[in-house]
Amino acid sequence: MQNAPPNAAPQAPLPIETETDAKSAIVGLTAVMDGLEAVVTEETELVRAGHLRKATGLGAKKTELCSLYFKAVERLKANRKLLLRLVPQDVSALARRHELLQGVLKTNLVVLATAHAVSEGIMRRLSGDLDRKACPQVYGASGRAMAPDPKRAQPLAFSRML
């Protein structure tokens, strides 16, 4: 199977014509959702444990699964009426499965946002500490120590390689 050129028009989702096609499409999407849930759960656990480098390594797999997920969802959306007519019980089960995935994704986003906020706080604190050390320790007219001028602060640079 060859990749389409980057400027090629996107292909329309494959049609679903039979009950077997419908069940196969739903099983395919469920398998992708299972894989995505496993990767997101692993990423969440790694970030919680502070293993950010390992969590970053899951990015390519997560991106690939997300792409497959969106393609499968588009295919099912394009054939929604037929699916509801042919396999309504499978569609209901898929909706419940999707709700479970949403819960895992919400937890993942909370953990990632927390890690981002913590790391940003650390960087801001480090930057402030470096600015205070670089500023001369003098007293102002009020008799209090002067704070560093934020306009004269040196940019903070760090190496991501350890």
Side-chain angles (χ1 to χ4, degrees):
M1 183 176 185
Q2 291 181 333
N3 290 337
N7 57 357
Q11 293 180 348
L14 294 173
I16 295 174
E17 298 172 348
T18 65
E19 186 176 338
T20 305
D21 289 347
K23 287 186 179 208
S24 175
I26 290 173
V27 166
L29 177 56
T30 302
V32 170
M33 289 169 60
D34 290 343
L36 185 57
E37 182 178 349
V39 169
V40 169
T41 300
E42 182 180 358
E43 178 185 55
T44 301
E45 291 170 3
L46 288 170
V47 171
R48 279 183 175 157
H51 302 292
L52 301 179
R53 191 173 299 241
K54 289 179 185 176
T56 304
L58 297 172
K61 188 173 183 181
K62 189 166 129 180
T63 300
E64 178 187 347
L65 288 167
C66 285
S67 175
L68 292 172
Y69 172 79
F70 285 116
K71 287 177 186 174
V73 167
E74 286 301 315
R75 181 176 183 211
L76 293 179
K77 278 184 181 180
N79 296 281
R80 177 182 315 171
K81 290 180 183 176
L82 183 64
L83 288 170
L84 288 171
R85 194 181 56 184
L86 292 176
V87 288
Q89 68 284 359
D90 292 347
V91 172
S92 296
L94 183 63
R96 287 190 300 276
R97 178 66 183 89
H98 189 263
E99 288 175 13
L100 293 173
L101 178 63
Q102 292 257 325
V104 170
L105 291 173
K106 284 180 184 178
T107 301
N108 180 261
L109 288 175
V110 167
V111 169
L112 292 176
T114 301
H116 180 268
V118 168
S119 63
E120 184 176 346
I122 291 169
M123 294 305 292
R124 287 185 188 278
R125 175 69 187 257
L126 178 61
S127 177
D129 289 349
L130 291 174
D131 284 345
R132 280 188 287 285
K133 286 184 180 182
C135 181
Q137 300 294 322
V138 296
Y139 293 99
S142 66
R144 295 183 184 190
M146 298 205 34
D149 183 6
K151 293 179 184 173
R152 296 182 183 220
Q154 293 293 318
L156 177 64
F158 66 97
S159 173
R160 296 177 75 163
M161 301 299 292
L162 298 176

